[in-house]
Amino acid sequence: MSPDVPLLNDYKQDFFLKRLPQTVLGGPRLKLGYWAPPYIYVNQIILFLMPWVLGGIGTLLYQLSVLKDYYTAALSGGLMLVAALVIQFTSVKAKTKSVTVERILTTDILAEEDEHEFTSCAGAETVKFLIPGKKYIANTVFHSVLAGLLCGLGTWYLLPSRITLLYGCAGGTAPLFVFGWMTLCIGEYSLIVNTPIETATFQTQDTYEITPLMRPLYIFFFVSVDLAHRLIKNTPVLQHMNQILHILFIFLPFLWAIGTLPPPDALFLWAMEQVLEFGLGGSAMSTHLRLLVMFVVSAGTAVTSYFIPSTIGVVLFMTGLGFLLSLSLSDISFVFRHSMTRNRAGTKAQPSARASERRFPWKEFLLHVIVLVLALLETSLLHHFAGFSQISNSSSQAIVGHILVILLIVLWILREIQSIYILGIFRNPFYPKDVRTVTVFLGKQARLLKVGVVRRILLTLVSPFLLIAFLSLDNSLQSLHSASVCLGFTRAFRMNTENALLETAIVSAVHLLKPSADLWWNRNLNTGMKLLLVGVICDRLIQFISKLQFAVTVLLASWMEKKQRRTTTTALCTLNVIFFPFVLVIIAFSTLLSSPLLPLFTLPVFLVGFPRPAQSWPGAVGTTACVCADTMYYDQMVPRLTAALQTAMAAGSFGLLLPGSHYLGRFQDRLVWIMILECGYTYCCINIKGLELQETSCHTAEARRVDELFESAFEQEYPKVCSLNQHFGNVLTPCTVLPVKLYSDARNVLSGIIDSHENLRSFKSDLIKVLVFILIQYCSKRPRKQENFHKTESKGETSPVVLPLNTSPHPRSPEDTDSVKSETFDDWSDDIFDDEPTVKKGKEGNTWLKDPPGTTLPIPGSVDSQRVDDLPTGTISEHSLYKAVLLGYPATDRGQEESMAHVPLSEFSSPHSYLVSLPEEWRPSCMPGSKMKEMSSLFPEDWYQFVLSQLECFHSEAVASTALEEIAKDKVLKDFYTHTVMTCYFGLLGIDDMVPTAGHILRVYNGVLPWSSALDWLTVKPELFQLALKAFRYTVKLMVDKASLGPIEDFKELKGCLEEYESDWYIGLVSDEKWKEAVLQEKPCLFSLGYDPNMGAYTGRVLTLQEVLLQVGKLNAEAVRGQWANLSWELLYATNDDEERYSIQAQPLLLRNLTVQAAEPPLGYPICSSEPLSVHWC
């Protein structure tokens, strides 16, 4: 890609330049891109300035002392309400009119969708263009009322005398009044006339018309502060805030235009998440419903604690609810449903399949109950001790605080030595070196796992009780509680152990360093509020460092990648260096709002993105994915990976677990994206995504960089003990490797094996043996009807069966035969090597060849078309009853006709032969008698007897040996198998019995068989056809194994090999549904044959289920959020969906292409996305 490729193509540039002024002005379309009458622009200007005119009337009357300020607001609001209703109902009326529009012929096809034809100043088409109207009548009325209220309060807010009084001088009144009314007009226009597309777009579709409320919402916020200042006088804080907001009010259009202020839905979710996390001690949640439920319950807990009169009651209430709310909501609901099910009397309904898969977590439940009981007991005893002991409880609390500081340091050390790098910079000397195989890694990691167990015990059992002791001994809980105490301690008693331990240790360290009671920190803040403040500062500090690192990485990436260095790169880098303090201000402001740092087009042009929830997307995680054929490999991996993550997270290998953290896993061609959605006591909730396996240029470039990072971290030896991370500037920092049981994918070239003449000759004899084995195994295991077998056996008689014989010629007419040379068609030529061609199973209309069960009908066109049912009993000859006619063989001269294999009535010589007998519908033969007699010599009788002797279908060994010997000697049964096996053999390889070619092997493996009468006979027996195809594929695999591993020594080895194929292998096509089933059922091995037209070689693909090492690294969370924010802006606002756009190209430092893939659809395209998964490590 050329580095100077436009960031937007020509059409998108014109589109963007038309959309941007509309966004800035709040909806007026003053740049159309085509000619329009002047009244279109005049009408829009009138509608835009109308609120100012109506508000100006009230303002003038107030300045002339005709009306008081509140009457002025009422008058302006009333006039605006009437105007808004007139505008809206004019739009409704225009929609009901049908207007004939003449199509404008233009050469620019892309611009046709935007062009309109206007007939008059007030025509229906003009009104519909100017005022699109609302989708719902309720919104028509509601938005009109809101517009009136907005104009009235805005007039009151911008009264000149009020602005002069607020600042004490008239110098700034004029600009604040003029630009303030511009802001108000922009908000009114977007509400009642035409809503613009906002740069801060959260939802892909505005179903409920929330976007028009965005700008009025912020105006109402500014006005509400002014109203509070009017009502609550002599409040310096409100006065200063009101003064600042009056100045910021005129910059609202700029903030709306650059997308810094969030839309209402994103604002609501973000505000709830921030209050829950920092004000109430919770965590970001995996779904919006869980977030709402947890927010309501947590807020209710804080409010309820305020009204509890007893101090001991408050402490116990906070402790119990704090612990319960730190657990997973899904686990709590599962326990509740389980208890309700057990207590429900008379319930006979069976549990659902999904519920039955999940067992009740008795161990976790008992642990949580014990911890809860001990926590309540500890809290009550320590609170009682603190209230009545003569010893200073502050000194006791200080001692516990010192212990917590030591515990934090110990846990930090134990956590850091679990990953490959310490602080992401220094190589960990305790981590296993040169990690390549699972056995070596597990052996070296054993000591680290023992350390991880110690860390887990300290974190989940020791730390919570020390934290409870520290809080219970606090003086603030001994007196009447205030709102700040209830809020602070409700948050502090939440068992988010690792974060709570850090905050408590910092508070203790500050008290140790600054013990003075006169310090503002100690004088005005209780311990709960101190912890809250420290929690916010720690979070924002971590965000600031991550954002700063991301900004530096973007700057370096744009300069260091010469292939993507644009002509403007030097200027942009220079400006960033010169205005670095301003860049720091942008980063700090983004950190303060906890919003993503947005690099425009992923260039070093930084904006403050609008605040949004931690998961960055509006929809539920895991509900959508771009499912394809490769999705099944990730579906198999997800449960195995979740179990491996449980051990790693418990040991601390993933570092500090925070909601919004991202991790990237790599194995062979698979890339796994892991996101932490929520955290709590001994659990976290994650989402696992699988990225595409296609080797596109961008994907390959970044995947190669990921491989280099992991190889340098895990597979290279370093002479120094603590060497540095060579890739520290990258957004990906290697963490650890996980032993995960999943499929390794091996692709081999089989040219030289599958096209070897020697291998192809032995393939023929092997195919007959495999057919014998498959059919005997199938018949010995298939369920059987009790067709008088028991009665016959009890009487010592044998069952009459149908035996195909090659005797006595039967005259046929020449019409009964056809040419066998028609067996090969044009679409079955040797020069077609599709990897997975479409299976063609014979001709249509062959279903008439299938006989009803238990009968043999004559084929239409045969000489003897007389029905058997019409003959009198006792006069049926075997020839007339069982003769068959073959279609598709060469015509013969009259008098030289060849008989078909007909089937006389015969009996098994052994009463046990029915156990392995073939189904009746498989017994009639369609082959010429002479051909069958000739080819019967190929039947491996010794192999047939060996397979029968190895059967296990008898309970008694004494009976088994005798019965199997009798079955093996049964000539009638052997003849049945001979005819069926050889007919299948002809159907697979053709009637000519030639050595197959490699192309023939590939086509038949893919289900494309050469036409013959044997194929017609097979296709009407789908079960037998599938068995024959299965035997053919087993033979292909056997040929490959013999060429690779050596020849088969004896029958026992051959039988073992085929049994292994049957039990441990799936041999078929990648496109088969059974291939997917085998992967999801975790079949140990899978094999597929193919052809690569680019290489001109036959290929084999082998999937082997084994425990492998999945390399995992931690991504810079702010880099991911920033790139996703730019992706959302580009696609939803600039509509820059070009597949070759600059911002999607490979960038090894930023992993830009992989990050775009991992976004939620429809913006990203992961091929697999799991539902939120709970990972427990208790």
Side-chain angles (χ1 to χ4, degrees):
M1 184 194 74
S2 173
D4 290 322
V5 65
L7 300 175
L8 292 169
N9 59 40
D10 294 337
Y11 171 67
K12 295 297 183 182
Q13 286 180 13
D14 293 338
F15 178 80
F16 177 76
L17 292 176
K18 288 188 295 184
R19 173 171 281 188
L20 185 60
Q22 183 183 357
T23 302
V24 173
L25 296 176
R29 287 178 276 187
L30 302 181
K31 182 177 175 56
L32 300 179
Y34 57 91
W35 183 88
Y39 56 76
I40 294 296
Y41 303 100
V42 173
N43 287 344
Q44 291 185 88
I45 294 173
I46 293 173
L47 290 173
F48 179 80
L49 296 177
M50 181 180 57
W52 198 346
V53 173
L54 299 179
I57 295 174
T59 303
L60 182 60
L61 293 176
Y62 172 76
Q63 293 298 122
L64 296 175
S65 301
V66 176
L67 294 176
K68 292 187 177 181
D69 53 358
Y70 46 87
Y71 288 125
T72 297
L75 175 63
S76 300
L79 293 175
M80 190 65 220
L81 173 61
V82 174
L85 290 173
V86 170
I87 290 173
Q88 291 299 313
F89 285 107
T90 301
S91 174
V92 172
K93 186 177 180 181
K95 288 181 180 180
T96 60
K97 291 186 177 181
S98 59
V99 180
T100 304
V101 178
E102 181 181 354
R103 183 178 179 83
I104 301 175
L105 297 179
T106 177
T107 57
D108 188 0
I109 300 177
L110 295 175
E112 289 184 15
E113 57 178 311
D114 294 329
E115 298 197 6
H116 299 263
E117 183 184 10
F118 306 102
T119 57
S120 65
C121 179
E125 182 65 24
T126 303
V127 173
K128 286 192 289 185
F129 172 78
L130 296 176
I131 313 168
K134 309 296 180 182
K135 291 188 291 186
Y136 307 106
I137 297 297
N139 282 339
T140 300
V141 178
F142 174 65
H143 290 181
S144 299
V145 173
L146 203 62
L149 186 62
L150 184 65
C151 184
L153 293 177
T155 303
W156 202 4
Y157 184 73
L158 295 174
L159 288 175
S161 59
R162 172 63 180 172
I163 297 175
T164 303
L165 180 63
L166 183 64
Y167 292 99
C169 65
T173 302
L176 288 178
F177 178 80
V178 173
F179 290 105
W181 267 107
M182 288 293 294
T183 301
L184 204 59
C185 290
I186 289 173
E188 291 280 8
Y189 197 96
S190 65
L191 182 61
I192 60 168
V193 182
N194 185 23
T195 304
I197 302 298
E198 299 288 354
T199 52
T201 302
F202 189 56
Q203 301 278 357
T204 55
Q205 293 182 342
D206 187 18
T207 306
Y208 302 105
E209 295 181 314
I210 298 176
T211 305
L213 303 176
M214 173 182 167
R215 303 192 182 201
L217 177 68
Y218 290 101
I219 294 175
F220 277 125
F221 170 74
F222 280 70
V223 172
S224 63
V225 175
D226 182 69
L227 291 176
H229 183 216
R230 289 172 184 266
L231 297 175
I232 308 174
K233 298 180 180 180
N234 300 324
T235 308
V237 175
L238 280 177
Q239 181 177 356
H240 295 323
M241 186 182 296
N242 197 12
Q243 291 173 347
I244 295 172
L245 290 181
H246 266 80
I247 297 174
L248 288 178
F249 188 77
I250 64 176
F251 291 100
L252 279 180
F254 174 74
L255 297 177
W256 289 328
I258 64 174
T260 301
L261 300 178
D265 47 355
L267 177 64
F268 177 70
L269 294 173
W270 170 81
M272 272 203 308
E273 189 174 88
Q274 293 294 305
V275 173
L276 175 63
E277 187 170 356
F278 301 108
L280 300 172
S283 163
M285 306 303 289
S286 57
T287 64
H288 299 327
L289 179 60
R290 288 165 68 102
L291 175 63
L292 180 61
V293 171
M294 183 60 77
F295 176 81
V296 172
V297 175
S298 300
T301 301
V303 173
T304 304
S305 63
Y306 180 77
F307 294 99
I308 297 178
S310 170
T311 57
I312 185 65
V314 170
V315 173
L316 291 176
F317 180 77
M318 290 179 177
T319 304
L321 266 294
F323 179 80
L324 292 177
L325 294 178
S326 300
L327 304 178
S328 174
L329 282 179
S330 58
D331 291 343
I332 296 175
S333 62
F334 178 75
V335 171
F336 178 76
R337 291 196 306 270
H338 182 80
S339 61
M340 292 296 293
T341 303
R342 289 176 60 89
N343 294 332
R344 190 177 301 153
T347 301
K348 298 182 180 180
Q350 296 294 329
S352 63
R354 184 173 180 181
S356 61
E357 292 178 359
R358 182 180 179 186
R359 296 181 179 179
F360 186 76
W362 288 109
K363 294 181 180 179
E364 291 85 351
F365 178 72
L366 290 176
L367 175 65
H368 293 159
V369 170
I370 292 173
V371 171
L372 176 60
V373 172
L374 292 178
L376 293 174
L377 183 62
E378 179 192 16
T379 302
S380 59
L381 292 177
L382 288 178
H383 183 76
H384 179 78
F385 166 79
F388 295 95
S389 176
Q390 299 298 325
I391 304 175
S392 174
N393 56 341
S394 59
S395 60
S396 303
Q397 188 182 30
I399 294 173
V400 176
H402 298 162
I403 297 174
L404 286 172
V405 173
I406 298 173
L407 181 62
L408 175 67
I409 297 173
V410 172
L411 287 175
W412 179 84
I413 294 173
L414 296 180
R415 186 186 70 204
E416 289 297 317
I417 64 175
Q418 295 292 331
S419 58
I420 187 68
Y421 290 116
I422 298 174
L423 296 175
I425 303 174
F426 305 101
R427 185 178 177 84
N428 181 9
F430 301 100
Y431 199 83
K433 298 179 177 61
D434 192 18
V435 178
R436 296 178 187 270
T437 61
V438 178
T439 53
V440 174
F441 173 73
L442 292 179
K444 294 181 178 180
Q445 197 197 24
R447 288 174 297 177
L448 288 181
L449 290 178
K450 294 178 182 177
V451 174
V453 172
V454 174
R455 177 184 177 275
R456 190 189 317 176
I457 294 173
L458 292 176
L459 185 63
T460 59
L461 296 179
V462 177
S463 177
F465 293 108
L466 286 175
L467 290 172
I468 291 174
F470 180 84
L471 296 173
S472 300
L473 293 171
D474 194 80
N475 291 326
S476 303
L477 296 176
Q478 301 301 322
S479 58
L480 293 177
H481 38 273
S482 61
S484 62
V485 169
C486 292
L487 179 63
F489 280 89
T490 299
R491 176 189 181 278
F493 275 106
R494 294 288 281 264
M495 294 297 175
N496 293 328
T497 314
E498 211 156 0
N499 291 333
L501 181 61
L502 174 63
E503 296 164 8
T504 308
I506 292 175
V507 170
S508 300
V510 171
H511 181 73
L512 179 64
L513 297 175
K514 298 289 184 180
S516 175
D518 297 332
L519 190 66
W520 170 84
W521 172 267
N522 296 323
R523 184 179 67 253
N524 296 335
L525 296 178
N526 59 64
T527 303
M529 297 307 293
K530 292 177 185 177
L531 294 173
L532 189 152
L533 188 60
V534 168
V536 174
I537 293 174
C538 288
D539 177 80
R540 295 304 189 261
L541 182 61
I542 293 172
Q543 281 194 39
F544 181 82
I545 295 173
S546 298
K547 284 181 169 66
L548 183 61
Q549 183 181 357
F550 171 50
V552 173
T553 304
V554 172
L555 197 64
L556 293 176
S558 62
W559 176 259
M560 294 174 63
E561 286 293 327
K562 295 182 179 180
K563 293 182 179 180
Q564 297 185 17
R565 188 183 298 172
R566 304 174 61 84
T567 54
T568 58
T569 299
T570 304
L572 290 176
C573 293
T574 304
L575 289 174
N576 275 273
V577 173
I578 295 174
F579 295 100
F580 185 70
F582 182 71
V583 175
L584 283 180
V585 171
I586 293 177
I587 295 174
F589 187 54
S590 174
T591 302
L592 185 64
L593 294 178
S594 188
S595 60
L597 181 67
L598 192 154
L600 199 62
F601 297 106
T602 65
L603 292 171
V605 179
F606 300 105
L607 299 175
V608 179
F610 67 87
R612 64 199 78 191
Q615 65 185 36
S616 297
W617 309 111
V621 173
T623 55
T624 56
C626 302
V627 179
C628 66
D630 296 326
T631 302
M632 56 184 166
Y633 304 114
Y634 288 112
D635 290 337
Q636 179 273 328
M637 180 193 293
V638 165
R640 295 285 188 176
L641 179 57
T642 305
L645 289 172
Q646 178 177 349
T647 303
M649 289 180 174
S653 301
F654 280 61
L656 182 62
L657 298 176
L658 296 173
S661 300
H662 298 265
Y663 300 86
L664 185 67
R666 175 73 167 167
F667 171 72
Q668 289 187 348
D669 57 350
R670 269 156 280 185
L671 283 162
V672 185
W673 193 282
I674 305 168
M675 179 181 180
I676 297 182
L677 302 175
E678 66 176 89
C679 292
Y681 179 70
T682 69
Y683 90 97
C684 71
C685 199
I686 64 173
N687 167 246
I688 299 177
K689 293 177 183 174
L691 306 187
E692 64 178 359
L693 304 184
Q694 298 178 2
E695 297 181 354
T696 59
S697 57
C698 296
H699 179 94
T700 303
E702 294 189 356
R704 190 184 305 118
R705 181 54 177 266
V706 172
D707 292 336
E708 292 174 0
L709 283 168
F710 287 136
E711 286 174 6
S712 66
F714 300 114
E715 299 179 10
Q716 291 184 5
E717 289 282 356
Y718 292 92
K720 297 181 180 180
V721 177
C722 292
S723 55
L724 296 177
N725 180 7
Q726 299 176 356
H727 303 278
F728 176 68
N730 203 291
V731 296
L732 178 65
T733 303
C735 290
T736 186
V737 291
L738 303 177
V740 185
K741 195 170 186 180
L742 47 84
Y743 282 101
S744 62
D745 193 350
R747 302 169 191 257
N748 305 312
V749 176
L750 300 182
S751 296
I753 296 178
I754 194 174
D755 51 3
S756 169
H757 187 71
E758 181 182 351
N759 292 339
L760 293 172
R761 286 182 63 85
S762 66
F763 179 88
K764 296 173 56 181
S765 59
D766 288 340
L767 177 59
I768 299 176
K769 292 179 182 177
V770 177
L771 280 168
V772 170
F773 177 83
I774 292 294
L775 291 180
I776 291 177
Q777 291 293 323
Y778 171 79
C779 293
S780 65
K781 295 177 181 178
R782 72 185 182 99
R784 302 177 176 278
K785 297 179 181 178
Q786 302 300 324
E787 299 173 352
N788 298 325
F789 288 128
H790 298 292
K791 295 181 181 179
T792 305
E793 186 176 352
S794 63
K795 295 179 181 179
E797 301 175 355
T798 57
S799 304
V801 294
V802 179
L803 173 64
L805 296 176
N806 300 325
T807 58
S808 64
H810 183 76
R812 295 183 301 133
S813 64
E815 293 83 355
D816 297 336
T817 60
D818 200 356
S819 174
V820 75
K821 302 301 181 184
S822 62
E823 160 181 327
T824 305
F825 297 107
D826 293 337
D827 60 348
W828 209 82
S829 57
D830 280 345
D831 58 349
I832 298 177
F833 295 111
D834 291 337
D835 185 25
E836 294 173 7
T838 305
V839 178
K840 300 178 181 178
K841 300 179 180 177
K843 301 178 180 180
E844 295 180 0
N846 286 339
T847 54
W848 56 271
L849 290 174
K850 187 172 183 179
D851 301 339
T855 64
T856 304
L857 299 180
I859 299 176
S862 62
V863 175
D864 186 7
S865 59
Q866 182 180 6
R867 292 185 59 85
V868 177
D869 294 342
D870 298 336
L871 297 177
T873 305
T875 62
I876 304 176
S877 67
E878 294 180 359
H879 283 209
S880 62
L881 180 60
Y882 295 109
K883 65 187 176 184
V885 176
L886 174 66
L887 300 178
Y889 280 84
T892 56
D893 296 334
R894 186 177 297 278
Q896 302 291 329
E897 295 91 343
E898 184 179 1
S899 68
M900 301 301 298
H902 57 88
V903 193
L905 291 172
S906 300
E907 296 179 349
F908 287 137
S909 61
S910 170
H912 304 289
S913 296
Y914 76 91
L915 294 174
V916 292
S917 64
L918 294 164
E920 291 185 11
E921 60 271 17
W922 295 1
R923 295 172 184 172
S925 175
C926 66
M927 304 300 297
S930 60
K931 188 69 177 177
M932 182 62 69
K933 187 174 183 180
E934 174 189 349
M935 300 304 296
S936 295
S937 61
L938 299 177
F939 186 79
E941 186 172 351
D942 52 350
W943 167 251
Y944 165 77
Q945 293 182 355
F946 174 79
V947 174
L948 286 177
S949 65
Q950 301 295 314
L951 290 177
E952 298 178 357
C953 50
F954 296 94
H955 298 290
S956 172
E957 295 184 2
V959 176
S961 58
T962 305
L964 291 175
E965 185 177 353
E966 294 178 359
I967 294 174
K969 294 179 179 179
D970 194 329
K971 188 176 182 301
V972 176
L973 182 66
K974 183 183 79 71
D975 288 340
F976 277 152
Y977 273 97
T978 301
H979 283 71
T980 304
V981 167
M982 297 313 298
T983 305
C984 294
Y985 174 81
F986 293 139
L988 294 170
L989 294 186
I991 198 67
D992 292 335
D993 193 32
M994 301 291 289
V995 176
T997 64
H1000 182 107
I1001 296 292
L1002 177 63
R1003 285 190 295 271
V1004 177
Y1005 185 94
N1006 289 331
V1008 183
L1009 277 65
W1011 184 86
S1012 66
S1013 58
L1015 177 62
D1016 284 343
W1017 182 79
L1018 270 176
T1019 52
V1020 296
K1021 302 170 178 62
E1023 201 169 10
L1024 180 59
F1025 179 86
Q1026 292 300 323
L1027 290 174
L1029 188 60
K1030 176 181 176 182
F1032 187 91
R1033 291 171 175 173
Y1034 279 16
T1035 311
V1036 172
K1037 182 65 173 66
L1038 182 64
M1039 177 176 65
V1040 174
D1041 288 348
K1042 287 169 63 177
S1044 304
L1045 305 176
I1048 301 294
E1049 298 293 338
D1050 51 21
F1051 285 165
K1052 187 174 182 181
E1053 185 178 354
L1054 177 59
K1055 176 178 176 290
C1057 186
L1058 295 178
E1059 286 178 345
E1060 182 184 354
Y1061 292 164
E1062 192 75 18
S1063 60
D1064 297 342
W1065 285 79
Y1066 175 78
I1067 302 173
L1069 300 178
V1070 177
S1071 58
D1072 288 345
E1073 186 65 26
K1074 289 186 178 179
W1075 180 281
K1076 179 179 179 181
E1077 294 176 3
V1079 170
L1080 297 180
Q1081 293 171 4
E1082 296 191 338
K1083 201 78 169 177
C1085 301
L1086 295 91
F1087 173 82
S1088 177
L1089 180 68
Y1091 181 81
D1092 189 345
N1094 298 323
M1095 298 172 57
Y1098 296 93
T1099 59
R1101 184 180 183 184
V1102 178
L1103 297 182
T1104 306
L1105 185 66
Q1106 57 185 348
E1107 199 166 33
V1108 299
L1109 294 178
L1110 181 76
Q1111 299 165 329
V1112 182
K1114 185 174 184 178
L1115 292 157
N1116 185 329
E1118 294 304 323
V1120 175
R1121 293 183 68 201
Q1123 294 182 75
W1124 280 357
N1126 173 71
L1127 175 68
S1128 177
W1129 179 87
E1130 268 198 85
L1131 293 185
L1132 298 182
Y1133 182 76
T1135 64
N1136 188 24
D1137 56 354
D1138 187 356
E1139 294 182 356
E1140 298 299 326
R1141 64 185 182 271
Y1142 174 81
S1143 61
I1144 203 176
Q1145 299 301 314
Q1147 175 48 263
L1149 277 179
L1150 292 173
L1151 300 181
R1152 187 166 54 193
N1153 184 266
L1154 297 180
T1155 305
V1156 170
Q1157 287 184 48
E1160 283 290 309
L1163 304 185
Y1165 45 97
I1167 65 174
C1168 174
S1169 183
S1170 70
E1171 295 182 351
L1173 305 171
S1174 293
V1175 178
H1176 299 266
W1177 56 79
C1178 63

